[in-house]
Amino acid sequence: MKKVICSAAVVAVMSLMATSCNKQAPKVDEKPAATAAANTEMKIAFIEVDSIMSQYKFCKEYSAILEKKGQNIQNTIASKGRSLQNAVAKFQQDIQNNKYTQQQAEAVQAGLQKQDADLRELQQRLGTEFQAETDKFNKALRDSIQHYLAVYNKDKKYSLILSKAGDNILYADKAYDITDEVISGLNKAYKPAKTEKKK
C-alpha cells in the first residue's frame, strides 16, 4: 500500500532532480539574479505517508476491511489444508493396516490428489481476488488524496507536494510539513460507506 504512494513521490522527486540537472551552466550574457528570483517563487510542501496511513479515516477503515478479508482467506486455506493432511495421514495408516485393495487405494489416492489440486486452485483464486481488492483500494486511496490536494492547492498554490516515506526525502524542514492540515481536510471530506441499519 505504501509503495503506491511512495512511487508517486519518487517520480516527483526524480522529475524535480531531472529538471534541475538538465539546466545548462549560465552563459556570460545571462543574468543569474533573474534565475534565482524565479526559483524563490517555487512553493514546496510535503506530507508524511505514515501519518496518512494511520490517521486518514478512509485508509484506516479499508485497511481493517482488507486485514479481515486476508485473515478469513488464511483461515479458510489453513482449515482445508488441515483436513487434507488428516485425510492423507488416515489414508497412509489404512494402507499400512491393509484396509484397501489396490484398486480402492488408487481411488482414494486419486480423490486426495483432486482435493489437493482443488485446494491449490482455491488458494490461487482467493489470492487473485484479494490482490484485485487491494489494488482497487490503493487506486481509490490515491485518487481521493490527489482529488483533495487538487482542491486544497487552489488556494495554497504549491508548485510541488511531495510524499515523505522513510528515507525517500533525506531532509525536510518541518515548516513545509502540511500533513496534519491535509489529514484534517481529508477526514472532513471523507464520506464513509453507508451501512444499512436493521429495524
Side-chain angles (χ1 to χ4, degrees):
M1 201 163 11
K2 291 181 184 177
K3 288 180 184 175
V4 174
I5 300 172
C6 294
S7 63
V10 171
V11 171
V13 171
M14 293 304 288
S15 62
L16 180 64
M17 288 173 63
T19 305
S20 59
C21 291
N22 287 337
K23 289 181 180 172
Q24 297 176 349
K27 295 177 184 174
V28 178
D29 58 336
E30 288 180 347
K31 296 179 181 176
T35 307
N39 286 342
T40 57
E41 294 172 11
M42 185 177 211
K43 284 179 68 180
I44 297 176
F46 71 90
I47 299 169
E48 293 276 0
V49 172
D50 290 345
S51 296
I52 293 276
M53 306 305 283
S54 65
Q55 296 174 41
Y56 181 21
K57 290 176 187 174
F58 172 82
C59 192
K60 290 197 299 186
E61 287 178 16
Y62 279 85
S63 291
I65 290 168
L66 286 175
E67 188 177 344
K68 187 176 179 182
K69 283 186 179 181
Q71 193 61 54
N72 287 342
I73 289 171
Q74 286 180 356
N75 292 343
T76 299
I77 298 300
S79 174
K80 289 184 179 293
R82 282 192 300 271
S83 295
L84 179 59
Q85 285 177 344
N86 291 339
V88 168
K90 184 181 183 305
F91 172 66
Q92 289 172 342
Q93 190 176 21
D94 289 347
I95 288 288
Q96 289 174 353
N97 294 333
N98 293 321
K99 287 195 173 181
Y100 298 118
T101 64
Q102 184 175 349
Q103 190 176 6
Q104 289 173 328
E106 287 172 358
V108 172
Q109 188 173 16
L112 290 172
Q113 287 172 342
K114 185 180 184 312
Q115 272 187 286
D116 183 55
D118 289 347
L119 179 58
R120 290 174 191 275
E121 185 181 330
L122 176 66
Q123 188 172 14
Q124 178 68 35
R125 181 172 57 80
L126 292 177
T128 301
E129 287 174 5
F130 183 74
Q131 185 59 53
E133 189 78 16
T134 303
D135 292 344
K136 182 180 172 185
F137 160 70
N138 284 335
K139 183 180 184 309
L141 175 63
R142 185 177 62 247
D143 289 350
S144 72
I145 292 171
Q146 288 177 340
H147 174 74
Y148 175 76
L149 287 178
V151 173
Y152 167 86
N153 204 39
K154 284 180 182 176
D155 294 330
K156 300 296 181 177
K157 309 286 188 202
Y158 286 109
S159 304
L160 194 64
I161 299 176
L162 302 173
S163 62
K164 184 176 184 295
D167 294 333
N168 71 325
I169 297 176
L170 298 178
Y171 173 78
D173 190 325
K174 289 299 283 180
Y176 299 101
D177 186 353
I178 59 170
T179 306
D180 291 342
E181 192 178 344
V182 168
I183 289 172
S184 176
L186 282 167
N187 284 333
K188 282 179 186 173
Y190 176 55
K191 303 281 190 287
K194 292 181 181 177
T195 53
E196 292 183 9
K197 293 182 180 178
K198 292 183 180 179
K199 293 183 179 178

